[in-house]
Amino acid sequence: MRRLFPVTDPTATPGPAGHEWSPDELADAYAYPVPGPWLRANMVSTLDGAAQHDGRSQPISSDADMRIFGTLRGLADVVIVGAETVRSEGYRPPRARAVFAERRAAAGQGPAPAVAVVSASLELDFSAPLFTGPLVPTLVLTGAAAPPERVREARRAGAEVIVAGDGPGVEPGRALRALAERGLRRQLTEGGPRLLGQLVSAGVLDELCLTVSPLLTAGDAQRIAGGPPVGVPSKFTLVSLLEEGGFLFTRYSRT
């Protein structure tokens, strides 16, 4: 993986151009600000703006993209994801990775991040591995008007249900505060586009890690963020830019 522009984060220690970054070097380069909380998004997009192909992000990804995906998970306390993405991507619980074990222990983190699923309806498969076999119990973020029978089913499956909205949906700021109060301050969202759009509209996103895939797909696939436009666009500053195999790995932080 080759650095094209310097990382401005003083805690990062990137390698020189042409250098194959080790997991530790990537983890240093993507380290969370201290003390947080900090919400980071990780998304992938084609050259023509598609966030998916055939309804999934995997076809537009790469091995290098998955290395960064794994690094970002290895640093996070919690992965926040929308229910539709859980269903379409076949989400499984994060696994403990030996390469990050010492770093996580030193930071007071568990062996793997928790997953927090955002869902108004709670139409989720509670028999799936995400709920039956996580190292850390899965969380469900929902609103006060969520169907009571689905709330009970989620709890029977071992999930912690967090009410973060007075209606059927979730209020982004309230949800993030609830997670931070549980010690989950290093926050990572992997979408999907609808959830990312809600976070952008609420003005709570601190950082975007965007992979630009050297593919053209045409069609009508979603962008990385969906929903109504914001009144005033949020401005972000480029922090780092990496390249491998034509894929660009950008990192932007809120100005």
Side-chain angles (χ1 to χ4, degrees):
M1 188 168 293
R2 181 163 57 92
R3 184 182 62 166
L4 300 183
F5 292 96
V7 176
T8 58
D9 182 348
T11 66
T13 55
H19 173 71
E20 182 69 26
W21 283 24
S22 70
D24 273 339
E25 288 172 324
L26 280 175
D28 286 342
Y30 283 95
Y32 276 84
V34 177
W38 188 264
L39 176 62
R40 162 184 289 165
N42 182 33
M43 301 292 284
V44 60
S45 171
T46 63
L47 295 175
D48 52 347
Q52 304 165 338
H53 185 63
D54 288 337
R56 300 176 64 238
S57 60
Q58 190 278 331
I60 62 174
S61 182
S62 69
D63 289 344
D65 185 43
M66 295 309 297
R67 290 204 304 275
I68 290 180
F69 174 93
T71 298
L72 298 184
R73 280 196 166 193
L75 298 174
D77 294 326
V78 61
V79 178
I80 306 164
V81 63
E84 181 57 35
T85 297
V86 167
R87 289 187 288 262
S88 64
E89 301 279 357
Y91 253 61
R92 302 182 68 85
R95 57 189 177 90
R97 296 185 58 193
V99 70
F100 297 117
E102 185 175 343
R103 184 182 294 265
R104 292 186 67 87
Q109 296 174 292
V115 172
V117 183
V118 178
S119 177
S121 67
L122 301 189
E123 289 298 326
L124 299 162
D125 180 5
F126 294 114
S127 67
L130 183 60
F131 297 98
T132 62
L135 287 172
V136 182
T138 295
L139 310 171
V140 176
L141 297 164
T142 193
E149 67 280 6
R150 299 300 294 173
V151 172
R152 289 191 292 269
E153 188 170 351
R155 289 175 172 153
R156 283 196 297 268
E160 179 183 358
V161 178
I162 300 173
V163 175
D166 295 329
V170 169
E171 299 168 18
R174 184 169 164 183
L176 299 180
R177 288 192 298 272
L179 294 173
E181 288 167 0
R182 287 163 172 77
L184 305 174
R185 300 173 66 81
R186 302 171 185 88
Q187 299 168 350
L188 170 66
T189 180
E190 297 170 351
R194 183 183 302 174
L195 174 60
L196 183 56
Q198 293 170 352
L199 297 171
V200 170
S201 294
V204 296
L205 186 68
D206 297 302
E207 180 181 315
L208 173 63
C209 296
L210 175 64
T211 296
V212 181
S213 172
L215 299 174
L216 292 169
T217 62
D220 56 0
Q222 288 182 296
R223 297 161 49 193
I224 65 166
V230 297
V232 178
S234 302
K235 185 175 181 180
F236 281 64
T237 299
L238 182 67
V239 175
S240 67
L241 177 59
L242 313 177
E243 182 273 343
E244 183 173 291
F247 283 77
L248 299 180
F249 305 96
T250 72
R251 181 183 176 196
Y252 290 87
S253 65
R254 183 165 52 183
T255 300

